[in-house]
Amino acid sequence: QTPDDLLTDREVGSILGNKGTALKRWRRLGKGPKYVRVTDGGRVLYRRQDVLDWIASRTVEPGQINRRSLST
């Protein structure tokens, strides 16, 4: 596995603990990890490192939670 590995919705969903359907919704809302649109037909993949970076950006220290961090 390398940081540049490309992952499907299902693979990212597995990392995040969901079916990946949330990713489609997040894309429509402009939220979630960065993604790569690899075809004109709309196939979307995620760079492993972008997913890991997005997860890290959502890390909250106890006592430091705010509503803005939960909305992205």
Side-chain angles (χ1 to χ4, degrees), residues 4-45:
D4 289 323
D5 286 345
L6 294 175
L7 307 173
T8 65
D9 280 354
R10 181 174 288 160
E11 291 168 321
V12 174
S14 177
I15 291 169
L16 298 177
N18 66 43
K19 294 181 182 179
T21 55
L23 293 165
K24 184 181 258 187
R25 184 175 60 247
W26 291 345
R27 286 194 304 269
R28 279 196 321 265
L29 297 171
K31 299 180 179 189
K34 293 189 279 187
Y35 59 91
V36 178
R37 189 170 306 277
V38 294
T39 66
D40 289 338
R43 180 155 188 230
V44 169
L45 296 173

